[in-house]
Amino acid sequence: MSRIEEHPILGKTERGREVEFTFDGQTLKGYENEPIAMALKANGVMTHRYTKKEHKPRGIFCAIGRCTDCVMVVDGKPNIRTCVTPLKEGMVVVTQDGTQAAKLG
């Protein structure tokens, strides 16, 4: 596994209990309160969204919540910055197209 142990802004993440969450319909495991992006990376997921115009993949870039490369639809809400959003049991995470909320689902 490829788990990030320390976030550049959030610091060292206290590893919570192992939880399950859903990514694009697939059940994955991560640790409660680690950033969603960290759990995805540990599961081999590198693409979080696609650009609207050219459908190019984007993933973790700044890892501090400043850019939009890691935004995803989380529990039905679009544009969630997964690099700074803590993972919770049962979250539903979906790859996002673009950064507009209108056509997401």
Side-chain angles (χ1 to χ4, degrees):
M1 272 203 212
S2 176
R3 183 166 303 284
I4 299 168
E5 296 294 333
E6 191 167 338
H7 188 280
I9 298 299
L10 303 175
K12 190 164 177 69
T13 302
E14 289 297 320
R15 190 175 280 189
R17 66 185 176 93
E18 189 174 66
V19 296
E20 289 187 347
F21 67 103
T22 304
F23 166 69
D24 286 350
Q26 189 177 31
T27 301
L28 301 178
K29 292 182 180 182
Y31 293 100
E32 191 171 51
N33 295 322
E34 72 178 335
I36 296 168
M38 190 181 294
L40 290 170
K41 183 177 184 323
N43 281 280
V45 176
M46 299 303 289
T47 300
H48 294 216
R49 73 174 185 95
Y50 290 93
T51 59
K52 184 175 180 173
K53 277 188 175 181
E54 297 180 29
H55 199 69
K56 291 185 177 180
R58 294 291 183 255
I60 301 171
F61 180 70
C62 77
I64 59 172
R66 300 286 291 176
C67 74
T68 59
D69 279 357
C70 74
V71 297
M72 301 181 86
V73 180
V74 178
D75 292 337
K77 297 176 189 167
N79 301 321
I80 301 299
R81 286 173 166 80
T82 60
C83 67
V84 294
T85 302
L87 181 66
K88 302 289 180 207
E89 174 80 43
M91 279 185 151
V92 177
V93 180
V94 179
T95 301
Q96 183 167 314
D97 284 320
T99 57
Q100 300 300 313
K103 296 184 180 178
L104 300 174

